Amino acid sequence: MSKNGSTGSRRKAAPASGVKPGQTLDLERYVPAFVTFIANKLSRSATALYQKRFGVNVTEWRIMSLLAIEPGITASRICYVIGFDKGPVSRTLALMQKRGLIAIKTDPRDGRSHSISLTPKGRQVHDQVIVAALERERRLLACLRKDEREVLIDLLRRVHSNLDAVTDHGEPGED
């Protein structure tokens, strides 16, 4: 084993096409970083606000907002739409059910499937949080003109629909 911990038998990975040795990301132009940084900061500040004012965190809010749009959906649908793993969603759903925010019913035709809906209490909390959520969006996008907001939404939709280009295939450089 060498000083850096690698074995001599390992093949050194070839740099991706066009990458120069010692190259670094330009965080002012690297889109995945921008999207991640924005999402992390939005989530952190939303959790702080929603927890303080409404007693829910941002994950619970995301689930509640989806349940308001699609009452009776399954946990796997929630995972697919919001892009979360099943474990954290299942734990969050269990806590939300315990707090009386959602109802989980077993599908009588398929005992393995469950439909999830907001309870009246959950809908009441949703209706309070949505006011704050829409105000946060308004304030975030206030730096853009209406036509720029429409362009941004269109671009984000297109990028979102192109995620398969980086999620359904092997890592770049793999054969």
Side-chain angles (χ1 to χ4, degrees):
M1 191 178 288
S2 69
K3 289 181 189 176
N4 67 5
S6 66
T7 62
S9 62
R10 275 198 189 145
R11 192 178 77 165
K12 188 172 182 174
S17 176
V19 176
K20 301 172 192 132
Q23 185 173 5
T24 61
L25 293 175
D26 178 354
L27 295 180
E28 295 294 319
R29 301 201 47 81
Y30 185 62
V31 173
F34 256 132
V35 171
T36 300
F37 299 163
I38 291 167
N40 289 345
K41 291 172 184 176
L42 281 171
S43 292
R44 187 175 55 246
S45 64
T47 287
L49 175 69
Y50 301 162
Q51 191 73 55
K52 180 180 175 185
R53 288 183 48 194
F54 310 108
V56 296
N57 63 39
V58 75
T59 302
E60 292 166 331
W61 165 241
R62 288 174 182 158
I63 291 171
M64 293 173 82
S65 64
L66 186 55
L67 292 173
I69 297 165
E70 296 185 39
I73 64 172
T74 63
S76 62
R77 172 79 178 145
I78 292 169
C79 294
Y80 174 77
V81 172
I82 63 178
F84 282 177
D85 292 330
K86 189 175 181 179
V89 168
S90 294
R91 288 188 292 277
T92 301
L93 290 171
L95 291 171
M96 292 174 74
Q97 183 180 32
K98 189 184 254 187
R99 292 177 28 224
L101 298 172
I102 62 167
I104 302 174
K105 296 182 180 143
T106 303
D107 184 336
R109 295 167 291 169
D110 177 3
R112 296 171 296 156
S113 184
H114 300 83
S115 67
I116 306 159
S117 300
L118 291 171
T119 62
K121 178 182 177 182
R123 184 62 201 215
Q124 181 183 19
V125 172
H126 169 275
D127 292 350
Q128 293 171 346
V129 178
I130 196 169
V131 174
L134 291 173
E135 175 59 16
R136 282 173 46 83
E137 179 193 40
R138 185 196 67 72
R139 289 171 47 198
L140 176 67
L141 301 179
C143 62
L144 303 175
R145 295 185 317 267
K146 186 178 192 302
D147 63 312
E148 291 174 323
R149 289 191 301 269
E150 293 305 317
V151 168
L152 174 64
I153 291 166
D154 178 59
L155 293 171
L156 290 171
R157 275 192 193 122
R158 288 167 42 198
V159 169
H160 185 259
S161 64
N162 194 44
L163 282 172
D164 286 350
V166 295
T167 58
D168 284 348
H169 306 292
E171 292 298 316
E174 284 186 355
D175 291 320

